[in-house]
Amino acid sequence: MRHAQGPLLTIDLSERSAETTSIDDRLNEFVGGRGLNTSLAYDRIPFDADPLGPENRLYLSTGPMQYSTTSYTGRMAATGLSPLTDGILSSNAGGFLSRNFTGAGYAAVEIVGESDELLAVHVREVGTDGEPNVTFETVPDLEAAEVSAVSDRLAESHDLEPEHVACVGPAGENAVRFASIMTSDTRAFGRGGLGAVLGGKGVKALTFDGEADAAIDLDWPDEASEVHREAATSDSIMKRQGTTSVTELANEVDALPSYYFSETSFEGVEGISGDRVEEKKYKKGTCSSCAFACKLPTRDEETGVETEGPEFETVMAFGSNAGVDDVVDVMRANELCDELGMDTISCGDVVSMFLESEDEFGNAELVRSLVEQIAHREGVGDKLAEGVHRAHEEFGAEDWTVKGMEFSGHDGRALNGQGLAFATANRGADHMYGEFYPYEYPLVGKADALEPTGLDGKPPKLVAKENRNAVLDSAVICKFSRGTVTDERLAALLDADYDELLAMGARVVELERAFNNARGFDREDDTLPYADAIDGFEAGLSEYYELRGWDDDGTVPDPEAPDVAADD
C-alpha cells in the first residue's frame, strides 16, 4: 500500500524543542492524513484532556498523493480535540501548503504543550545530519493580527509566501470555538475550532519551507495521469461556480436552510445563486497541482470587496439562513471570516441565531458587526463565540447542532439520508463526513440516485461512504474527485485492494468513535433536531450500528488501540 513518507516530527512548545520518531509501521497501516493523525491522537491525547489545555495535541499531515502531480491532491489534514464538539475531529484544507510540508521531509507534525509567549514556529527541510530544523520565533508584533497581515509580515521577514504558512487570526488567539487555521490566506482548516487549539497553544503561525517540487518516486500507475487529464478536460459547472452551482437546486427541493433553519427555501435565492457568484468571478482559482480549478476568486467592482468564494455553505450560512439576498454582502462576510480566521458555516449559523432573536434577518451591516465582535470576543460576540450549542438558551433559540457542531446545508429534512449522515458523523453536523447528499438530489442521468425521503437501504451505503471518505482523507484526495477517482482508480493509486482500503477507512471511523465514547459520547449524541420527522430514523440508526459491529447504544465494544506501538 502506498503511504506517506518520513518520520513524525514532534514540536514541544513548552520546552521549545523538536524530535523525530519513526512511524513506518503506522504508515503501513493508516496511509497518512486523517488515518495517521487519528491513530496518533488515539494513543497520545488523554481521553480526559481539555481541548483548550496543554494536554491536547494537534496533528498536521499529508498522504501519499502529495508526492504525485495529479489533480485533486493539493490538500492536507489536521486533527485534534475540538473545542466546539469536545470530541476528536479532523479537518482538511486545500491550497498550496501540502507540497511545502512534504518537501520538509516529514509524514506528520505533532504540536504538544503550550508557549507562554506568542510564537511563529518555522519548520525547514531536514538537515544533512538528519536532525530537525525547527526554530521558535517570538512574535509579539503579530498579536491580534489578521491573516493577511501575518502573511505580509512573514513574507517580508522570512521571504515566505502565504502558501508556506498555516496561521490563526484574532479568533484563534481569543479561543473562539469555531476558529480556523488558515493557509494561503483564504483556505481553511475550517470546521471544529482547531484554530482555537493552535492559538491556545500560543502559536500564531507555523511555516513549512521544504522543497515543494521534491519528487519521491512511488512508481505512479497510469491512473494518475488519467485522473489529471479528466480533471483538465471536464466541463463541470463547478469550474465556473464552485459548489454554489447547487444553490438553486437545493432551494427547489426544500433543502436550503433559511431564516435560522425555520424554513427550507429562500425567496431571495436568485440574488445569492451560482449565477450571481459566477458574475463576480474574475479569474481561475485552484489548489496545488489541480487542473480542475473549482475555486472562486471574486471581486465586486462597485464596492471593491475581493475574496475567494463564497462557496455554497457560506452562501447558506450568511445568505439564506441570515435572510440576506445580496451576494456582495455574503462576499463581505466571507472575506471577514477569512481575515479573522473563522469557519464561515458555524459563524454564519451563530450570527443567524442572533438575528432571529432580535428580529433582524437581512441586516447585512449588523452581520458584519457581529462577525467582528465574535472574533474579538467583544460585547455580545463573547457569548456567540461559544457557538450555538453553548449559547442558544440565552437567546431563546433552538439548538441547531449535532454534537455541538452547527449544521451545514443540504437539509436533512428533505434529504433524509443526509440527515442520518449528520447524526452519525463523529465530528458533528458536517456534510462532508458522510457526504450522502449527492445520492439524493434529483440530477438527471444519475445511476446511483436514491429517493430523498426515508431511510430504506441507506445505512449500508452510508457506512460505505463514510469508510471511503476516511480513505480519501488519508490519501489525501479532494472529495470533488467524485466520478473521476473511481473505486478502481483509488485502489490503483494506493496500490491496494479496494476492500482492504475500505477496511482501513472503517478502522479510522471506529477509532474516532471509540475515542469519543471514552469522552462520554453515545447514541444520545447521534440525534437531530428533526429526528422525529424522518420516517424510520431510530431503526436506521440501529441498522447503522449493527453494520459497524457496534452496540445499540452507539458505543464500540471492547475498543482496541491501533495495532502499532505508540512510539513505533
Side-chain angles (χ1 to χ4, degrees), residues 62 71 92 101 105 120 123-124 143 148 169 181 201 207 211 237 257 260 282 334 354 358 361 370 374 430 468 546:
T62 56
S71 292
N92 67 60
F101 182 99
V123 180
R124 298 177 177 84
E143 184 177 355
S148 63
I181 301 172
K201 290 184 173 298
T207 72
E211 190 66 41
I237 193 173
Y260 190 61
Y282 66 95
N334 186 88
F354 182 81
E358 298 293 313
F361 283 125
L370 290 169
I374 291 168
D430 175 77
R468 191 181 196 276
E546 183 178 2

Side-chain angles (χ1 to χ4, degrees), residues 173-433:
E173 290 182 65
N174 293 322
V176 174
R177 290 186 183 270
F178 42 85
S180 301
I181 301 172
M182 303 298 299
T183 180
S184 303
D185 279 347
T186 58
R187 311 299 175 87
F189 297 92
R191 308 236 62 192
L194 295 183
V197 175
L198 190 62
K201 290 184 173 298
V203 177
K204 185 67 175 181
L206 295 166
T207 72
F208 298 95
D209 192 17
E211 190 66 41
D213 59 355
I216 294 179
D217 184 10
L218 294 182
D219 191 24
W220 295 104
D222 292 342
E223 283 80 358
S225 58
E226 291 170 6
V227 167
H228 194 60
R229 181 173 61 252
E230 290 186 19
T233 58
S234 168
D235 63 353
S236 170
I237 193 173
M238 285 187 66
K239 288 190 170 186
R240 306 195 318 272
Q241 298 184 359
T243 55
T244 62
S245 59
V246 79
T247 306
E248 289 187 291
L249 174 60
N251 193 65
E252 289 170 11
V253 301
D254 286 326
L256 182 64
S258 304
Y259 301 107
Y260 190 61
F261 303 101
S262 64
E263 299 183 24
T264 54
S265 64
F266 184 50
E267 72 277 5
V269 68
E270 195 277 334
I272 56 173
S273 67
D275 288 342
R276 300 291 81 75
V277 172
E278 185 179 358
E279 289 171 358
K280 302 299 182 183
K281 185 176 178 180
Y282 66 95
K283 65 179 180 179
K284 287 185 177 181
T286 192
C287 297
S288 175
S289 293
C290 189
F292 193 60
C294 68
K295 303 310 294 180
L296 299 169
T298 53
R299 180 167 59 208
D300 180 60
E301 299 294 346
E302 182 176 344
T303 61
V305 64
E306 186 173 318
T307 188
E308 186 171 81
E311 296 286 354
F312 168 71
E313 300 298 338
T314 309
V315 162
M316 178 281 296
F318 280 111
S320 61
N321 219 23
V324 171
D325 61 5
D326 186 337
V327 73
V328 177
D329 287 324
V330 180
M331 288 167 61
R332 285 189 174 113
N334 186 88
E335 180 186 32
L336 273 176
C337 283
D338 286 349
E339 281 284 8
L340 297 168
M342 290 187 289
D343 173 30
T344 60
I345 301 173
S346 286
C347 189
D349 286 354
V350 167
V351 166
S352 297
M353 176 187 70
F354 182 81
L355 296 180
E356 179 190 57
S357 72
E358 298 293 313
D359 194 23
E360 287 283 359
F361 283 125
N363 187 338
E365 184 176 348
L366 177 58
V367 167
R368 293 192 293 276
S369 174
L370 290 169
V371 172
E372 292 271 8
Q373 290 179 65
I374 291 168
H376 295 285
R377 282 190 174 266
E378 295 174 346
V380 72
D382 185 45
K383 187 63 177 178
L384 297 177
E386 292 293 296
V388 165
H389 178 66
R390 292 172 175 83
H392 72 282
E393 291 182 350
E394 181 166 327
F395 298 98
E398 289 189 57
D399 183 6
W400 277 92
T401 68
V402 174
K403 301 178 180 72
M405 177 176 280
E406 290 77 14
F407 275 87
S408 51
H410 311 293
D411 200 296
R413 287 169 287 185
L415 311 174
N416 290 174
Q418 181 56 53
L420 181 63
F422 284 138
T424 62
N426 286 323
R427 72 175 187 170
D430 175 77
H431 62 298
M432 296 303 286
Y433 189 95

